[in-house]
Amino acid sequence: MGLGDKFDAAKDKFGGSAKETAGKVTGDSELEGEGKAQNLQGKAKDAAESVKDAASDAKEQAKGFTDNFKKDNQ
């Protein structure tokens, strides 16, 4: 996960939590809902980046395997 992506996800989670808390404190259910949605968006970004990282790792492992296979069979 790139640093910018991590920052963006953290910003959404932090901002969402702040809005949600402010909405609860003030009794503003719309603000609370916006906060929950923003927080979930940040969590979804984290999950998507984790999937990308796992796919990239799997690709590198497969490349290493095929490189070693080729080297062993020459």
Side-chain angles (χ1 to χ4, degrees), residues 59-74:
K59 179 182 172 184
E60 288 300 315
Q61 287 179 346
K63 184 180 182 315
F65 175 77
T66 56
D67 289 348
N68 288 335
F69 182 77
K70 288 177 186 176
K71 196 184 300 182
D72 290 343
N73 291 308
Q74 288 181 350

Side-chain angles (χ1 to χ4, degrees), residues 31-48:
L31 183 61
E32 183 180 349
E34 286 176 19
K36 285 181 182 180
Q38 187 175 356
N39 193 356
L40 287 174
Q41 185 178 17
K43 289 179 181 180
K45 286 178 183 178
D46 270 345

